[in-house]
Amino acid sequence: MPGAIYAEGLVKTFGDVKALDGVDLDVPEGTVLGLLGPNGAGKTTAVRCLTTLLTPDSGRAVVAGIDVLKHPNEVRRSIGLSGQFAAVDEYLTGRENLQMVGQLYQMPTKQAKARAGELLERFNLSDAADRPSKTYSGGMRRRLDLAAALVVSPPVMFMDEPTTGLDPRNRQALWEVIQELVAGGTTLLLTTQYLEEADHLAHDICVIDHGRVIARGTADQLKAQTGGERVEVVVHERDHIAVASDVLTGFGKGETTVDQHTRKLTVPVTGGAKLLAEVIRELDARGIEIDDIGLRRPTLDDVFISLTGHIAEVDEGNGTDTAPEKSRAGAKDKRKKEADQ
């Protein structure tokens, strides 16, 4: 049986750019799928196809047991969506925005008011509840938009970069809301560029690039593909970088990367704290003074570099997959017009 969110062979093309190139997804009921990828990878396009905002050129999609292409209106009644842009009416107050959403879903007025008050408190917006939302900061608008997506607690939720622009406190609050929803049986597809977020929330993770799913697994499994752990060393003298690089390469399980500006060297390793102690001893024996050294797990950039060959780009204001086209123009020429939508 397909999951609560199921896609098979989704293809979507814009001109000569293939935004989706045969995407397959399967999200079991009551779980969270983290859809990771750099800007322009196709994450938002996939969400738009699954939520009836775009029609794929080919492929099949089923959400909450309903065929997305055959019965789009029924799908819309069964899902909640929070997109990258805050979709709030700036002339209404925060409270009025939430009440309006409830009433659009045919919620009784009294119930809509109660739900609005509950969500305003949950997202730390009670003090600004009766101010026009045009007076809200960007982060406040984002929280209001997220609250609006949760007014009716639908069985299937789509959140596209939900925590972009949120401060740590409100990001943590949203994580708690998501965990409560999933514990209650909600299925969630979450797009994000933050591995920490996917690690914290997702049962499974798909990495998408150039419109294709290129890896799938748990956060730990994806990190393990990049070497499991990293030793980072900051040498005191720039002249010692070359020797330090030789030392780290001898202990590493991959290429040593060097940041000349910060004098920081990084290498993937296995062996944990024991190996770290050996590295310190060898550096000391070579007469290399260090300012800092540590062992850490792979970052999002490590995963992306390993899987896609380039780092993730966090764009605080990007609301579409097509926005990075200008910045990618040179890269597209260099890489023979790669399909990065």
Side-chain angles (χ1 to χ4, degrees):
M1 285 289 292
I5 303 171
Y6 177 78
E8 181 180 358
L10 287 185
V11 174
K12 183 64 181 178
T13 302
F14 298 97
D16 62 349
V17 177
K18 188 165 283 188
L20 299 178
D21 191 11
V23 168
D24 298 328
L25 299 171
D26 192 358
V27 190
E29 184 176 347
T31 66
V32 180
L33 176 69
L35 193 61
L36 272 67
N39 285 338
K43 304 186 301 297
T44 295
T45 301
V47 168
R48 289 177 173 174
C49 288
L50 291 168
T51 57
T52 76
L53 297 177
L54 284 176
T55 301
D57 300 330
S58 61
R60 178 172 176 246
V62 177
V63 174
I66 305 165
D67 190 296
V68 173
L69 296 180
K70 293 180 180 178
H71 307 289
N73 288 333
E74 292 182 30
V75 170
R76 292 174 193 139
R77 297 188 192 101
S78 302
I79 64 174
L81 169 63
S82 176
Q84 289 187 16
F85 283 136
V88 298
D89 189 322
E90 64 178 14
Y91 293 102
L92 297 180
T93 67
R95 191 184 307 278
E96 288 168 343
N97 265 286
L98 298 184
Q99 289 178 195
M100 177 184 68
V101 171
Q103 290 174 318
L104 287 173
Y105 276 96
Q106 301 181 342
M107 187 180 287
T109 301
K110 185 176 180 180
Q111 184 181 350
K113 287 182 177 179
R115 181 61 172 159
E118 176 186 333
L119 288 168
L120 288 165
E121 183 175 354
R122 192 74 177 85
F123 283 88
N124 300 313
L125 290 169
S126 295
D127 290 344
D130 299 310
R131 281 169 35 197
S133 61
K134 66 180 179 180
T135 67
Y136 286 14
S137 68
M140 292 170 70
R141 289 191 187 196
R142 187 66 178 138
R143 281 144 54 198
L144 182 62
D145 180 69
L146 291 165
L150 300 174
V151 167
V152 294
S153 300
V156 178
M157 282 287 303
F158 294 85
M159 291 188 174
D160 193 6
E161 309 278 0
T163 61
T164 297
L166 295 185
D167 59 44
R169 176 188 176 190
N170 286 301
R171 180 173 294 178
Q172 182 65 43
L174 177 61
W175 288 0
E176 292 173 2
V177 170
I178 290 173
Q179 289 172 324
E180 290 171 5
L181 286 170
V182 176
T186 299
T187 304
L188 173 64
L189 189 150
L190 168 78
T191 78
T192 182
Q193 297 184 60
Y194 303 112
L195 187 56
E196 176 193 8
E197 185 162 272
D199 194 0
H200 191 81
L201 296 172
H203 297 87
D204 208 4
I205 294 171
C206 278
V207 180
I208 187 170
D209 195 28
H210 304 312
R212 300 177 183 176
V213 175
I214 60 173
R216 180 163 185 160
T218 66
D220 285 341
Q221 289 170 340
L222 293 178
K223 291 174 186 178
Q225 292 183 33
T226 68
E229 296 172 314
R230 295 288 189 276
V231 167
E232 286 188 344
V233 177
V234 178
V235 299
H236 185 69
E237 298 289 343
R238 199 175 305 277
D239 292 343
H240 290 164
I241 287 177
V243 178
S245 179
D246 289 342
V247 171
L248 292 183
T249 300
F251 286 99
K253 299 297 181 181
E255 183 181 354
T256 300
T257 59
V258 178
D259 186 329
Q260 293 282 346
H261 178 68
T262 61
R263 307 183 310 282
K264 182 170 73 174
L265 300 91
T266 306
V267 67
V269 299
T270 57
K274 181 179 179 181
L275 181 133
L276 181 62
E278 294 174 3
V279 172
I280 293 172
R281 284 195 294 268
E282 182 63 21
L283 289 171
D284 185 59
R286 298 281 194 102
I288 300 172
E289 185 179 354
I290 60 176
D291 290 342
D292 192 19
I293 188 168
L295 185 70
R296 64 164 176 81
R297 301 183 75 189
T299 64
L300 178 62
D301 280 351
D302 295 326
V303 173
F304 281 162
I305 289 170
S306 174
L307 294 174
T308 72
H310 56 87
I311 65 172
E313 298 174 358
V314 179
D315 185 347
E316 294 296 319
N318 181 27
T320 68
D321 281 321
T322 57
E325 285 300 315
K326 290 183 179 179
S327 65
R328 289 202 313 268
K332 288 175 70 177
D333 291 339
K334 182 178 179 180
R335 299 174 70 171
K336 298 182 180 180
K337 296 183 179 180
E338 63 187 9
D340 189 5
Q341 178 71 11

PDB file of all heavy atoms in Angstrom, residues 255-274:
ATOM      1  N   GLU A 255      39.648  13.184   1.466  1.00  0.00           N
ATOM      2  CA  GLU A 255      40.460  14.355   1.151  1.00  0.00           C
ATOM      3  C   GLU A 255      40.449  15.359   2.301  1.00  0.00           C
ATOM      4  O   GLU A 255      39.422  15.599   2.938  1.00  0.00           O
ATOM      5  CB  GLU A 255      39.921  15.024  -0.114  1.00  0.00           C
ATOM      6  CG  GLU A 255      40.732  16.226  -0.577  1.00  0.00           C
ATOM      7  CD  GLU A 255      40.147  16.860  -1.827  1.00  0.00           C
ATOM      8  OE1 GLU A 255      39.183  16.284  -2.370  1.00  0.00           O
ATOM      9  OE2 GLU A 255      40.653  17.919  -2.230  1.00  0.00           O
ATOM     10  N   THR A 256      41.607  15.941   2.576  1.00  0.00           N
ATOM     11  CA  THR A 256      41.706  17.021   3.558  1.00  0.00           C
ATOM     12  C   THR A 256      41.422  18.342   2.871  1.00  0.00           C
ATOM     13  O   THR A 256      42.050  18.674   1.869  1.00  0.00           O
ATOM     14  CB  THR A 256      43.108  17.068   4.188  1.00  0.00           C
ATOM     15  OG1 THR A 256      43.386  15.829   4.851  1.00  0.00           O
ATOM     16  CG2 THR A 256      43.212  18.213   5.199  1.00  0.00           C
ATOM     17  N   THR A 257      40.451  19.079   3.406  1.00  0.00           N
ATOM     18  CA  THR A 257      40.133  20.392   2.849  1.00  0.00           C
ATOM     19  C   THR A 257      40.802  21.466   3.694  1.00  0.00           C
ATOM     20  O   THR A 257      40.931  21.327   4.916  1.00  0.00           O
ATOM     21  CB  THR A 257      38.619  20.644   2.810  1.00  0.00           C
ATOM     22  OG1 THR A 257      38.084  20.565   4.130  1.00  0.00           O
ATOM     23  CG2 THR A 257      37.933  19.614   1.933  1.00  0.00           C
ATOM     24  N   VAL A 258      41.222  22.535   3.046  1.00  0.00           N
ATOM     25  CA  VAL A 258      41.983  23.594   3.716  1.00  0.00           C
ATOM     26  C   VAL A 258      41.334  24.940   3.432  1.00  0.00           C
ATOM     27  O   VAL A 258      41.052  25.279   2.277  1.00  0.00           O
ATOM     28  CB  VAL A 258      43.445  23.623   3.234  1.00  0.00           C
ATOM     29  CG1 VAL A 258      44.204  24.767   3.904  1.00  0.00           C
ATOM     30  CG2 VAL A 258      44.130  22.291   3.497  1.00  0.00           C
ATOM     31  N   ASP A 259      41.101  25.705   4.499  1.00  0.00           N
ATOM     32  CA  ASP A 259      40.669  27.098   4.386  1.00  0.00           C
ATOM     33  C   ASP A 259      41.862  27.960   4.763  1.00  0.00           C
ATOM     34  O   ASP A 259      42.194  28.115   5.934  1.00  0.00           O
ATOM     35  CB  ASP A 259      39.487  27.357   5.329  1.00  0.00           C
ATOM     36  CG  ASP A 259      38.904  28.757   5.156  1.00  0.00           C
ATOM     37  OD1 ASP A 259      39.671  29.672   4.815  1.00  0.00           O
ATOM     38  OD2 ASP A 259      37.695  28.932   5.377  1.00  0.00           O
ATOM     39  N   GLN A 260      42.520  28.521   3.752  1.00  0.00           N
ATOM     40  CA  GLN A 260      43.738  29.296   3.987  1.00  0.00           C
ATOM     41  C   GLN A 260      43.477  30.525   4.853  1.00  0.00           C
ATOM     42  O   GLN A 260      44.310  30.903   5.677  1.00  0.00           O
ATOM     43  CB  GLN A 260      44.337  29.732   2.641  1.00  0.00           C
ATOM     44  CG  GLN A 260      44.863  28.594   1.782  1.00  0.00           C
ATOM     45  CD  GLN A 260      46.217  28.096   2.267  1.00  0.00           C
ATOM     46  OE1 GLN A 260      46.894  28.739   3.065  1.00  0.00           O
ATOM     47  NE2 GLN A 260      46.619  26.923   1.773  1.00  0.00           N
ATOM     48  N   HIS A 261      42.334  31.143   4.666  1.00  0.00           N
ATOM     49  CA  HIS A 261      42.044  32.385   5.387  1.00  0.00           C
ATOM     50  C   HIS A 261      41.959  32.155   6.898  1.00  0.00           C
ATOM     51  O   HIS A 261      42.499  32.933   7.691  1.00  0.00           O
ATOM     52  CB  HIS A 261      40.735  32.991   4.875  1.00  0.00           C
ATOM     53  CG  HIS A 261      40.338  34.244   5.579  1.00  0.00           C
ATOM     54  ND1 HIS A 261      41.050  35.420   5.464  1.00  0.00           N
ATOM     55  CD2 HIS A 261      39.301  34.509   6.433  1.00  0.00           C
ATOM     56  CE1 HIS A 261      40.477  36.358   6.197  1.00  0.00           C
ATOM     57  NE2 HIS A 261      39.415  35.833   6.795  1.00  0.00           N
ATOM     58  N   THR A 262      41.251  31.084   7.286  1.00  0.00           N
ATOM     59  CA  THR A 262      41.087  30.806   8.723  1.00  0.00           C
ATOM     60  C   THR A 262      42.129  29.831   9.261  1.00  0.00           C
ATOM     61  O   THR A 262      42.137  29.532  10.452  1.00  0.00           O
ATOM     62  CB  THR A 262      39.685  30.238   8.993  1.00  0.00           C
ATOM     63  OG1 THR A 262      39.529  28.999   8.273  1.00  0.00           O
ATOM     64  CG2 THR A 262      38.605  31.213   8.562  1.00  0.00           C
ATOM     65  N   ARG A 263      42.983  29.298   8.357  1.00  0.00           N
ATOM     66  CA  ARG A 263      44.003  28.309   8.727  1.00  0.00           C
ATOM     67  C   ARG A 263      43.370  27.038   9.287  1.00  0.00           C
ATOM     68  O   ARG A 263      43.939  26.362  10.121  1.00  0.00           O
ATOM     69  CB  ARG A 263      45.011  28.892   9.747  1.00  0.00           C
ATOM     70  CG  ARG A 263      45.653  30.202   9.338  1.00  0.00           C
ATOM     71  CD  ARG A 263      46.696  30.677  10.355  1.00  0.00           C
ATOM     72  NE  ARG A 263      46.199  30.683  11.727  1.00  0.00           N
ATOM     73  CZ  ARG A 263      45.402  31.628  12.229  1.00  0.00           C
ATOM     74  NH1 ARG A 263      45.021  32.653  11.486  1.00  0.00           N
ATOM     75  NH2 ARG A 263      44.994  31.559  13.496  1.00  0.00           N
ATOM     76  N   LYS A 264      42.174  26.714   8.784  1.00  0.00           N
ATOM     77  CA  LYS A 264      41.453  25.536   9.272  1.00  0.00           C
ATOM     78  C   LYS A 264      41.542  24.394   8.273  1.00  0.00           C
ATOM     79  O   LYS A 264      41.352  24.576   7.076  1.00  0.00           O
ATOM     80  CB  LYS A 264      39.984  25.870   9.538  1.00  0.00           C
ATOM     81  CG  LYS A 264      39.187  24.698  10.101  1.00  0.00           C
ATOM     82  CD  LYS A 264      37.814  25.135  10.586  1.00  0.00           C
ATOM     83  CE  LYS A 264      36.883  25.437   9.442  1.00  0.00           C
ATOM     84  NZ  LYS A 264      35.504  25.731   9.907  1.00  0.00           N
ATOM     85  N   LEU A 265      41.843  23.208   8.788  1.00  0.00           N
ATOM     86  CA  LEU A 265      41.919  21.998   7.974  1.00  0.00           C
ATOM     87  C   LEU A 265      40.868  21.009   8.484  1.00  0.00           C
ATOM     88  O   LEU A 265      40.669  20.867   9.692  1.00  0.00           O
ATOM     89  CB  LEU A 265      43.304  21.356   8.051  1.00  0.00           C
ATOM     90  CG  LEU A 265      44.490  22.208   7.586  1.00  0.00           C
ATOM     91  CD1 LEU A 265      45.071  22.988   8.778  1.00  0.00           C
ATOM     92  CD2 LEU A 265      45.583  21.334   6.956  1.00  0.00           C
ATOM     93  N   THR A 266      40.240  20.299   7.543  1.00  0.00           N
ATOM     94  CA  THR A 266      39.177  19.357   7.896  1.00  0.00           C
ATOM     95  C   THR A 266      39.373  18.069   7.119  1.00  0.00           C
ATOM     96  O   THR A 266      39.670  18.096   5.920  1.00  0.00           O
ATOM     97  CB  THR A 266      37.799  19.956   7.569  1.00  0.00           C
ATOM     98  OG1 THR A 266      37.655  21.227   8.197  1.00  0.00           O
ATOM     99  CG2 THR A 266      36.686  19.035   8.058  1.00  0.00           C
ATOM    100  N   VAL A 267      39.192  16.942   7.792  1.00  0.00           N
ATOM    101  CA  VAL A 267      39.322  15.650   7.131  1.00  0.00           C
ATOM    102  C   VAL A 267      38.313  14.662   7.718  1.00  0.00           C
ATOM    103  O   VAL A 267      38.081  14.651   8.930  1.00  0.00           O
ATOM    104  CB  VAL A 267      40.761  15.089   7.282  1.00  0.00           C
ATOM    105  CG1 VAL A 267      41.081  14.745   8.727  1.00  0.00           C
ATOM    106  CG2 VAL A 267      40.985  13.888   6.369  1.00  0.00           C
ATOM    107  N   PRO A 268      37.665  13.844   6.869  1.00  0.00           N
ATOM    108  CA  PRO A 268      36.771  12.807   7.393  1.00  0.00           C
ATOM    109  C   PRO A 268      37.581  11.670   8.022  1.00  0.00           C
ATOM    110  O   PRO A 268      38.635  11.284   7.498  1.00  0.00           O
ATOM    111  CB  PRO A 268      36.014  12.326   6.153  1.00  0.00           C
ATOM    112  CG  PRO A 268      36.898  12.666   4.999  1.00  0.00           C
ATOM    113  CD  PRO A 268      37.638  13.900   5.393  1.00  0.00           C
ATOM    114  N   VAL A 269      37.086  11.152   9.160  1.00  0.00           N
ATOM    115  CA  VAL A 269      37.817  10.113   9.887  1.00  0.00           C
ATOM    116  C   VAL A 269      36.851   9.091  10.463  1.00  0.00           C
ATOM    117  O   VAL A 269      35.639   9.300  10.506  1.00  0.00           O
ATOM    118  CB  VAL A 269      38.644  10.713  11.052  1.00  0.00           C
ATOM    119  CG1 VAL A 269      39.683  11.692  10.551  1.00  0.00           C
ATOM    120  CG2 VAL A 269      37.719  11.373  12.085  1.00  0.00           C
ATOM    121  N   THR A 270      37.415   7.994  10.927  1.00  0.00           N
ATOM    122  CA  THR A 270      36.711   7.046  11.786  1.00  0.00           C
ATOM    123  C   THR A 270      37.646   6.752  12.956  1.00  0.00           C
ATOM    124  O   THR A 270      38.859   6.765  12.805  1.00  0.00           O
ATOM    125  CB  THR A 270      36.373   5.737  11.038  1.00  0.00           C
ATOM    126  OG1 THR A 270      37.577   5.164  10.524  1.00  0.00           O
ATOM    127  CG2 THR A 270      35.411   5.989   9.895  1.00  0.00           C
ATOM    128  N   GLY A 271      37.071   6.527  14.099  1.00  0.00           N
ATOM    129  CA  GLY A 271      37.915   6.222  15.252  1.00  0.00           C
ATOM    130  C   GLY A 271      37.618   7.054  16.473  1.00  0.00           C
ATOM    131  O   GLY A 271      38.092   6.760  17.573  1.00  0.00           O
ATOM    132  N   GLY A 272      36.847   8.128  16.311  1.00  0.00           N
ATOM    133  CA  GLY A 272      36.386   8.902  17.447  1.00  0.00           C
ATOM    134  C   GLY A 272      37.491   9.567  18.251  1.00  0.00           C
ATOM    135  O   GLY A 272      38.536   9.965  17.731  1.00  0.00           O
ATOM    136  N   ALA A 273      37.231   9.676  19.559  1.00  0.00           N
ATOM    137  CA  ALA A 273      38.130  10.422  20.447  1.00  0.00           C
ATOM    138  C   ALA A 273      39.528   9.809  20.505  1.00  0.00           C
ATOM    139  O   ALA A 273      40.518  10.526  20.659  1.00  0.00           O
ATOM    140  CB  ALA A 273      37.520  10.489  21.846  1.00  0.00           C
ATOM    141  N   LYS A 274      39.614   8.503  20.387  1.00  0.00           N
ATOM    142  CA  LYS A 274      40.924   7.851  20.429  1.00  0.00           C
ATOM    143  C   LYS A 274      41.799   8.336  19.282  1.00  0.00           C
ATOM    144  O   LYS A 274      42.987   8.638  19.460  1.00  0.00           O
ATOM    145  CB  LYS A 274      40.765   6.334  20.375  1.00  0.00           C
ATOM    146  CG  LYS A 274      42.077   5.579  20.445  1.00  0.00           C
ATOM    147  CD  LYS A 274      41.847   4.072  20.402  1.00  0.00           C
ATOM    148  CE  LYS A 274      43.164   3.319  20.442  1.00  0.00           C
ATOM    149  NZ  LYS A 274      42.962   1.848  20.379  1.00  0.00           N
TER     150      LYS A 274
END
